[in-house]
Amino acid sequence: YSHKSALFERFRPVVSSLADDADGMADVLHALHSSCQDSRQTLVMLVDKLLATQVLTATAVVRWVFSPTMSSSLTLSFPWEICDNALSKAVVRIGIIKDDLKEAEEDGVSDRISRIKAALNAETDVVSDLFSLLLQESLDVLSERLASGSDIEDDIWFESVLGNTQSLLRKFH
């Protein structure tokens, strides 16, 4: 992990330029997935690092987890851990902004308070949209599975996706 992490740090400007839009972020995630086939934990940590450095967005990560190329991996734990990390980072950002708002209110600087309130509202909207996306993507893949004629009573994939989605939603409710 440390070697790949150091490479990403060294080439972060290049990776950032590749991940400058939703398609670029998806390409970076697909390349990471391909290069980390031997170590899912390395993939989890690298995606987390790219989220922390804001090279990737949580929205791009959730979309990628539910992409057709990741469908067969949804019975494994790593996609759900990646989603959990992405959601956690988004929720933590709201807490940080709230702390900044409290500090600004104590200082009484109205211009700063207004900017922070606007940032808080924007970030709250992003997180709300992120949870809606998670739910919608989960419903889409589950609906596709049902439409394929799968017997859901004996379908481990269906149960896994449903259970992991419920678990994530409960965690952040």
Side-chain angles (χ1 to χ4, degrees), residues 104-115:
E105 288 171 340
E106 289 171 4
D107 294 343
V109 181
S110 62
D111 186 41
R112 184 170 170 231
I113 292 169
S114 297
R115 283 194 318 267

Side-chain angles (χ1 to χ4, degrees), residues 1 32 36 39-51 64 77-83 85 89:
Y1 165 76
L32 270 176
C36 294
S39 176
R40 303 290 190 209
Q41 197 58 38
T42 298
L43 175 64
V44 170
M45 291 187 296
L46 289 173
V47 170
D48 192 57
K49 182 175 184 92
L50 293 175
L51 280 164
W64 168 72
S77 64
F78 80 91
W80 301 101
E81 186 176 352
I82 289 171
C83 271
N85 291 345
K89 287 199 179 328

